[in-house]
Amino acid sequence: MLRIGNHLPSSKGYLAMAKHAEKLGANTFAFFTRNPRGGAAKPIDESDIEKFLSYIKAHDINRLVAHAPYTMNLCSAKPEIRQFGKDMLRDDMQRMEYTPNQYYNFHPGSHTGQGVEVGIEQIADALNEILTPEQHTTVLLETMAGKGSEVGRSFEELREILDRVKLPDKMGVCLDTCHVWEAGYDIVGDLDGVLAQFDRVIGLDKLYAVHLNDSMNSRSAHKDRHQKIGQGHIGLDAIVRVINHPALKTLPFILETPNEDEGYAAEIAMLRAAYSE
Ligand code: FE
Ligand code: FE
Ligand code: ZN
C-alpha cells in the first residue's frame, strides 16, 4: 500500500493533524515542530498525544515525518544562530519522544560563506552534541537544491556529514525530488542511475523518506521552487516511476506541493491510482 500524505498545519495539535490526514486520504504526514520561522514551540498536551497515538494506530497512519523550522541553521557563520539552532534541535528531540519511533527531517544548513567543509563539521558537531543513544527518533538530512550556500546539494556532502556523526543508527536521509532535480540529478531520464549513485555514496538502506514534489525549474537550476505534481519540469510520468520504484515504493512519500486541501486530496488520489501494489 502506498504511504502518502502531505505537510499539514500543526497549530491545532496532534489529533487534529491525524484527522486532517485521514480526511485527505493520507496515511503519513509531515508537520513543523514549531513555527517554521522558529521561536518557542507550544507545550506538549499529553492528553492530545494520547488520543493521537491511538487514532493513528486505529487508522494505520504512519510515519510522522516532522520538519525542523527553516530558521534552524547549524552551520551559520554567526555563533548565536548556530546556538539558536542547537537549542531548537535539543528541544525538538525531547518533543519527538512523545511520538516515539518517528522521523525528524531537517535542512543540513547554509554555511553562509564559511565554506562547505566548515559547514559539514559544524552540522556534525551539533548532532554529536545533541543526539543521544536513548532517543527513539531517527533524524533525517534532507537532500538540498543547492540554493545559495546550502550544504547537502550532493549525496557526497550528506555522506560526509553522516560519516562524522557518532550515533549513525539515529541518522538517515530524506530525498526531495524537486531538490535533487534542481541539484542536477536526472531523476527524469535516469532514475535507476541516480538511485545507484545514491546507493554507492550513501547506501539505500539510509533512505527513510521521500518529499514528493514537481519542480518549476529545469534540471540544475539550484532555485528550490516546488510545483504541483505533473505541472512542472519533472512531470507526472517521472513521479509515477518514483513511487513505483522497487527501492522506494515502501517509503513514506510527503507532498510539499503548492496546494490547498482539495489539491492535496486530488494528488493523493491520483498517485494511489497510479501505484502498483
Ligand atoms: Fe524541507
Ligand atoms: Fe522538502
Ligand atoms: Zn524545497
Side-chain angles (χ1 to χ4, degrees):
M1 187 204 15
L2 178 62
R3 283 266 156 221
I4 188 162
N6 64 313
H7 193 112
L8 296 172
S10 55
S11 56
K12 295 194 178 103
Y14 282 83
L15 182 61
M17 284 194 286
K19 288 182 172 171
H20 194 168
E22 178 79 8
K23 199 179 82 185
L24 300 179
N27 51 357
T28 178
F29 67 92
F31 63 102
F32 285 119
T33 49
R34 62 189 66 225
N35 185 309
R37 314 257 160 254
K42 282 208 307 198
I44 292 271
D45 172 351
E46 293 195 30
S47 88
D48 178 41
I49 291 273
E50 206 176 300
K51 288 179 209 139
F52 168 76
L53 291 174
S54 60
Y55 189 94
I56 61 170
K57 205 169 168 195
H59 292 84
D60 186 32
I61 296 172
N62 198 34
R63 300 287 190 160
L64 279 66
V65 190
H67 199 303
Y70 294 138
T71 46
M72 192 173 108
N73 186 4
L74 301 176
C75 62
S76 168
K78 294 188 177 146
E80 65 275 19
I81 302 228
R82 295 203 299 276
Q83 188 57 50
F84 178 63
K86 285 194 281 189
D87 292 344
M88 285 194 285
L89 178 59
R90 187 179 288 108
D91 186 49
D92 280 348
M93 288 301 99
Q94 286 163 4
R95 298 167 65 82
M96 291 293 295
E97 286 301 304
Y98 287 92
T99 56
N101 308 309
Q102 302 294 352
Y103 302 147
Y104 178 85
N105 168 81
F106 78 105
H107 296 181
S110 292
H111 64 69
T112 63
Q114 303 187 95
V116 65
E117 283 306 322
V118 173
I120 286 166
E121 294 290 347
Q122 289 178 340
I123 294 159
D125 286 350
L127 290 165
N128 285 330
E129 203 178 309
I130 290 156
L131 303 193
T132 65
E134 293 78 29
Q135 72 176 56
H136 297 87
T137 300
T138 306
V139 174
L140 309 183
L141 302 171
E142 184 168 348
T143 60
M144 300 310 295
K147 193 174 60 175
S149 65
E150 275 174 353
V151 178
R153 59 199 289 148
S154 67
F155 301 156
E156 285 78 5
E157 289 184 8
L158 296 181
R159 169 64 195 266
E160 284 202 54
I161 298 168
L162 293 172
D163 277 347
R164 287 166 172 75
V165 177
K166 291 181 187 128
L167 294 169
D169 292 355
K170 305 296 178 193
M171 296 296 300
V173 171
C174 172
L175 184 141
D176 186 311
T177 54
C178 167
H179 295 178
V180 292
W181 168 252
E182 292 202 19
Y185 292 97
D186 188 7
I187 56 168
V188 176
D190 186 18
L191 179 61
D192 279 336
V194 172
L195 293 175
Q197 208 177 338
F198 188 100
D199 197 33
R200 254 193 328 273
V201 176
I202 300 176
L204 282 167
D205 58 323
K206 298 306 283 180
L207 185 57
Y208 285 89
V210 175
H211 284 174
L212 196 65
N213 303 305
D214 211 324
S215 164
M216 286 190 186
N217 296 298
S218 50
R219 185 153 76 95
S220 310
H222 304 297
K223 286 188 181 135
D224 190 356
R225 296 286 306 280
H226 301 192
Q227 179 55 294
K228 294 178 185 173
I229 300 299
Q231 296 186 25
H233 287 252
I234 296 175
L236 183 59
D237 289 354
I239 285 172
V240 167
R241 285 195 294 273
V242 166
I243 60 170
N244 284 297
H245 195 284
L248 308 175
K249 65 181 299 175
T250 61
L251 298 175
F253 294 96
I254 303 293
L255 298 161
E256 300 173 310
T257 46
N259 277 303
E260 303 295 332
D261 276 1
E262 206 181 327
Y264 283 124
E267 286 186 349
I268 290 167
M270 169 175 73
L271 292 164
R272 285 202 188 286
Y275 185 71
S276 39
E277 295 296 334

